[in-house]
Amino acid sequence: MTNADAPRTPPDHPRVALLVTCLVDVMRPQIGFAAVQLLERAGCIVEVPEAQTCCGQPAYNSGDRADAQKIAKDVIEAFAGFDYVVAPSGSCAGMVRAHFPELFANDPVWGPKAAELSARTYELTQFLVDIMGCKNIVTADASVKTAIAIYHDSCSGLRELGIKAQPRTLLKAVPGLAVRDYSGSETCCGFGGTFCIKYPDVSDRIVTQRLADLARTPGNLLLGGDLGCLMNLAGKLSREGSPLRVFHVAEVLAGGTDGASIGEEG
Amino acid sequence: MHVTTDFPAAAKKALADPSLQAALARMRNGFVTARATAVARLPEFEDLRDRAQAIRDHVLQNLDAYLERFEANVIAAGGQVHWCRDAAEARQTVLNILRQTGAKTFAKGKSMVGEEIELNPYLEANGVRPIETDLGEYIIQLRHETPSHIIAPATHVSKEQVAEVFRAAHGHLDVGRPLETPDSLLAEAREILRKEFLSADAGMTGANFLIAETGTSVIVTNEGNGDLSQTVPKTHIVLAGIEKVVPTLDDVSVLLRVLARSATGQEISTYTTFSTGPKRATDMDGPQHYHVVLLDNGRSALLGGQFHDMLRCIRCGACLNHCPVYGAVGGHAYGSVYPGPMGSVLSPAFAGIEAAKHLPHASTLCGACEAACPVRIPLPKMLRAWRDISFERGLVTQRSKLGLALWSFAARNPALYRMGAAIAAKILQKPRAILRLVPGLSGWLATRDFPAAQGKTFMAQWKAKRG
Ligand code: SF4
């Protein structure tokens, strides 16, 4: 991991900027609102910088360094001055935290700025547990009928940010919910950002393998922290007629599972 | 090194091959579980990885010095070292040695460098018959294929297919013999190959490591075939990349501990064999001539550059075993003797990015390879570095270039981006029939539903509520 600073002790009411992420913005704003609720419950003052768009990952992963750098500079400016930046996605948080410093490794001006932003950028569950010290962020309106939730660790969150325990810690407090791993918990779902557009058939074969893994673990919910992966898994599950309901971890923590799951008619 | 360029088409073919898919399913579970079990049993495994990485880093910093020391010690032990700049020189050198000794048959232990320089067809064209003695290599030699995995070359072949090719190749044996079990196949291969070992004029092995302080070559195998290839014939040729050298015997013991666990989940491979020079007067057996053919073939060009760390690779295959893309399409789809993540970094380096332009993109960048790599090579970072180079040289399709340019332009103009996002949020709510018209989505929709958007963007709703 690239960020230099160890987590600081947060102020009681830190000013937190929400990095909405492009998928949450367009596909499922509900996750963004859930994230805001959780952060406010934890005592944060949440703001949503107007100037934000995308973290630049599509350009970065496609070899378009020049554009990735330009977008990264905009992100650095849009999120200047906040105590923390939090994203409901390990992939986007990982882009800022692990890859922005790499993008400006030899740049005397932007290098330090990227490192500074990297050090105060977190994925949502990581921020709530590791920085805000939350264990129980659930309120009465998190209604979950007794359920077994299977957790899928998305690759960037798991391997770039070391996120594994945090979402499980928070989910433990949801009444009636048991959280389990499955044999594919730590294996790629095949989404891979632009990969699933470029190689849809390879991507589909990989997600088919995850479904086979899932079939061996009883459960009625599938949870995770990255909407891209969840859309991929949910899209395959629904095509296969599986009853497994898919939610982002923030949605369950903020409001339970009464609403439409990812891919369900809302 | 020769790379066929068409990963997309080859991947499609691989996905549609049921026997390959069955073989891949067996492989996926086998190797990954075995490694995880072995690692769980060894609390100091992570420390060993650090030490292994440090050893390899140290070697690469001082490669010239260790290679010279290695050469001096090979000569002191009575052997010879041949330095080869590229594949052609290495092939020629091997042939010259064989001609000098009058060898007509050549028993080969498994060697990825042998595959890299495409040695077999060259020798055949020049009147020498190479005999692969590793069971996997033997099978693919009979099937006229290249390896599909760097440590398990025939992992794509089912036992029924092995029986079929054995029946065709071993025509002198009873047609009615049973060949249903792996044991019967193994027994038959052993029977045939023993005779070949004993009659081969020369033998060759690769090297897992070369030890500078002693001038020793080290091989690890699970079949013992390598031992016979190197001790029975009167000439032993070792074929190895220049990066294979390590300083001391102690260093090798660290590397061996991570190698077997990472590769197959074994604590140590069945046979680990150290060869130093030809047979001495007091030795019971051994070859009369000992040659080491050292191959550069693009390796030294990587030193000090952005792919420097790739030279740490000890060819364990863990990155292949843990790669979801390799697990879906197998090794041949990569069109290179080095498949999977390590191959997608090495192939463009050895064959040119133009020939291998698809390979750096044949990855979800999930990072499972780096997490499994015993010497912690940052494979995703290097795949991205090749993507950068490929983008700079204009090797990406116009379509993806245009898509990216539009996206990046919008991302840099928040007002425009907001409008685009609002339109996207509306369109992506629509039924499948309409979504099919969205560029890039038809592939997804062929096999998966596309979860509907909620209709209004977060940013618009936030502005209305709080803004
Ligand atoms: S890159 Fe690492 S994991 Fe892959 S073969 Fe080389 S040493 Fe093994």
Side-chain angles (χ1 to χ4, degrees):
Chain A
M1 222 175 297
T2 349
N3 57 306
D5 299 3
R8 301 161 296 175
T9 318
D12 284 347
H13 300 289
R15 268 183 79 222
V16 171
L18 184 71
L19 170 58
V20 180
T21 80
C22 49
L23 276 179
V24 167
D25 183 37
V26 171
M27 297 303 302
R28 204 163 166 88
Q30 184 176 311
I31 297 170
F33 287 105
V36 173
Q37 266 187 53
L38 296 173
L39 289 165
E40 288 181 344
R41 274 186 217 162
C44 307
I45 299 158
V46 183
E47 292 178 44
V48 180
E50 267 285 327
Q52 65 176 297
T53 58
C54 153
C55 66
Q57 194 173 159
Y60 182 67
N61 283 345
S62 303
D64 181 0
R65 246 171 201 250
D67 277 321
Q69 280 175 344
K70 285 185 205 154
I71 297 170
K73 286 179 185 172
D74 292 348
V75 174
I76 291 172
E77 279 171 351
F79 289 91
F82 293 93
D83 291 325
Y84 299 101
V85 177
V86 174
S89 155
S91 171
C92 308
M95 178 66 198
V96 177
R97 228 178 130 90
H99 300 298
F100 273 23
E102 259 171 49
L103 258 178
F104 299 107
N106 302 314
D107 187 324
V109 178
W110 288 94
K113 290 188 190 190
E116 189 270 338
L117 177 63
S118 156
R120 59 186 166 86
T121 299
Y122 295 90
E123 181 274 343
L124 177 68
T125 63
Q126 178 190 35
F127 178 73
L128 290 170
V129 174
D130 296 351
I131 304 304
M132 298 306 289
C134 300
K135 284 214 178 71
N136 186 348
I137 196 85
V138 179
T139 59
D141 36 303
S143 106
V144 176
K145 292 170 197 72
T146 308
I148 298 172
I150 305 174
Y151 205 87
H152 183 85
D153 297 290
S154 288
C155 300
S156 313
L158 179 70
R159 283 183 273 269
E160 287 175 358
L161 303 174
I163 295 164
K164 178 83 190 180
Q166 298 92 329
R168 290 164 177 81
T169 302
L170 295 172
L171 286 166
K172 228 183 248 160
V174 180
L177 192 72
V179 183
R180 298 233 173 107
D181 279 356
Y182 76 112
S183 60
S185 281
E186 296 192 357
T187 311
C188 180
C189 73
F191 176 68
T194 51
F195 181 84
C196 67
I197 307 289
K198 210 173 200 124
Y199 291 115
D201 40 3
V202 181
S203 166
D204 178 63
R205 187 59 53 94
I206 298 171
V207 75
T208 302
Q209 290 164 12
R210 293 299 76 71
L211 259 63
D213 294 342
L214 280 167
R216 288 196 296 269
T217 302
N220 29 29
L221 299 175
L222 176 65
L223 308 182
D226 267 274
L227 183 54
C229 313
L230 294 174
M231 283 175 60
N232 181 34
L233 287 158
K236 188 68 189 176
L237 285 164
S238 91
R239 180 65 62 95
E240 298 296 316
S242 161
L244 210 52
R245 302 177 73 219
V246 183
F247 287 96
H248 189 283
V249 58
E251 297 177 282
V252 176
L253 292 170
T257 57
D258 282 350
S261 68
I262 297 169
E264 250 169 25
E265 296 286 319
Chain B
M1 200 176 78
H2 176 242
V3 173
T4 47
T5 53
D6 205 358
F7 180 83
K12 266 201 173 46
K13 211 174 118 205
L15 291 171
D17 177 343
S19 121
L20 172 66
Q21 290 300 321
L24 287 169
R26 282 192 300 273
M27 187 220 72
R28 280 196 304 268
N29 299 328
F31 280 134
V32 172
T33 315
R35 176 190 177 274
T37 312
V39 168
R41 272 203 306 259
L42 190 70
E44 70 266 38
F45 187 71
E46 293 306 310
D47 292 341
L48 275 176
R49 284 174 77 185
D50 292 338
R51 285 173 62 196
Q53 175 183 346
I55 291 167
R56 297 293 301 141
D57 277 336
H58 173 78
V59 168
L60 296 175
Q61 291 301 327
N62 305 279
L63 190 59
D64 49 349
Y66 284 119
L67 281 170
E68 280 170 7
R69 188 176 309 167
F70 173 73
E71 179 184 37
N73 286 321
V74 170
I75 293 169
Q80 288 181 54
V81 174
H82 309 263
W83 301 84
C84 300
R85 254 182 304 242
D86 55 26
E89 259 185 47
R91 287 190 295 253
Q92 182 69 54
T93 304
V94 172
L95 183 65
N96 288 349
I97 299 168
L98 294 174
R99 287 213 166 127
Q100 275 159 27
T101 54
K104 287 274 168 248
T105 54
F106 187 38
K108 286 177 71 204
K110 184 174 144 10
S111 157
M112 284 310 299
V113 171
E115 297 287 347
E116 179 184 329
I117 65 171
E118 296 162 65
L119 185 60
N120 286 0
Y122 178 80
L123 293 181
E124 276 164 20
N126 285 284
V128 178
R129 187 167 68 91
I131 308 141
E132 294 293 350
T133 64
D134 173 89
L135 178 59
E137 286 284 347
Y138 179 62
I139 292 166
I140 62 166
Q141 185 184 28
L142 293 179
R143 287 168 57 94
H144 306 289
E145 287 178 318
T146 52
S148 64
H149 190 292
I150 61 171
I151 68 158
T155 188
H156 60 287
V157 187
S158 69
K159 64 179 195 302
E160 291 73 25
Q161 289 170 321
V162 177
E164 195 180 305
V165 76
F166 275 15
R167 283 190 199 285
H170 308 154
H172 61 288
L173 297 176
D174 175 17
V175 260
R177 68 195 187 280
L179 277 181
E180 279 75 47
T181 61
D183 280 346
S184 60
L185 293 167
L186 203 61
E188 178 160 324
R190 183 170 287 144
E191 182 65 30
I192 301 268
L193 291 173
R194 275 290 142 118
K195 288 196 196 101
E196 302 275 22
F197 288 126
L198 297 175
S199 62
D201 301 323
M204 192 193 84
T205 62
N208 290 89
F209 305 104
L210 303 170
I211 307 176
E213 71 170 355
T214 55
T216 302
S217 57
V218 184
I219 58 165
V220 299
T221 72
N222 281 321
E223 295 168 17
N225 63 300
D227 299 339
L228 291 172
S229 307
Q230 69 186 3
T231 48
V232 179
K234 57 178 201 283
T235 304
H236 176 197
I237 303 173
V238 178
L239 182 57
I242 51 168
E243 84 285 10
K244 280 289 153 80
V245 70
V246 291
T248 65
L249 278 160
D250 281 347
D251 295 328
V252 164
S253 66
V254 173
L255 293 167
L256 285 172
R257 294 183 75 194
V258 294
L259 173 61
R261 287 178 171 89
S262 302
T264 54
Q266 291 165 290
E267 274 157 23
I268 188 146
S269 306
T270 313
Y271 301 92
T272 302
T273 310
F274 296 74
S275 304
T276 314
K279 177 179 183 309
R280 292 162 300 189
T282 50
D283 289 342
M284 300 277 286
D285 47 29
Q288 288 164 28
H289 311 283
Y290 177 81
H291 296 267
V292 182
V293 177
L294 286 177
L295 178 71
D296 183 344
N297 208 26
R299 288 164 173 77
S300 61
L302 302 181
L303 284 168
Q306 56 185 340
F307 301 107
H308 175 97
D309 291 344
M310 193 61 226
L311 294 170
R312 288 206 295 264
C313 177
I314 57 171
R315 305 286 191 270
C316 72
C319 58
L320 281 59
N321 301 340
H322 289 76
C323 176
V325 176
Y326 179 95
V329 301
H332 286 154
Y334 294 80
S336 162
V337 298
Y338 297 116
M342 57 82 79
S344 297
V345 176
L346 282 178
S347 306
F350 291 170
I353 183 66
E354 285 77 12
K357 65 176 181 183
H358 292 298
L359 299 183
H361 293 274
S363 162
T364 63
L365 300 177
C366 76
C369 50
E370 180 177 0
C373 176
V375 287
R376 303 191 197 281
I377 297 174
L379 292 153
K381 185 176 163 188
M382 293 187 176
L383 293 171
R384 279 196 195 89
W386 277 122
R387 292 181 187 191
D388 292 350
I389 292 171
S390 154
F391 188 87
E392 262 164 40
R393 301 209 188 151
L395 297 173
V396 294
T397 61
Q398 280 309 319
R399 214 179 127 185
S400 67
K401 218 172 169 171
L402 184 68
L404 261 180
L406 279 173
W407 175 265
S408 300
F409 183 75
R412 304 216 50 219
N413 294 279
L416 178 69
Y417 184 90
R418 293 280 99 79
M419 274 166 53
I423 296 169
K426 283 264 164 306
I427 294 177
L428 295 175
Q429 245 187 324
K430 301 275 185 253
R432 207 189 293 170
I434 295 182
L435 289 184
R436 271 215 189 95
L437 307 173
V438 178
L441 268 193
S442 60
W444 173 302
L445 287 166
T447 54
R448 282 164 276 194
D449 293 339
F450 192 79
Q454 292 182 315
K456 271 201 178 127
T457 66
F458 177 88
M459 294 304 275
Q461 294 185 52
W462 178 261
K463 203 164 176 188
K465 277 190 191 160
R466 305 230 192 156

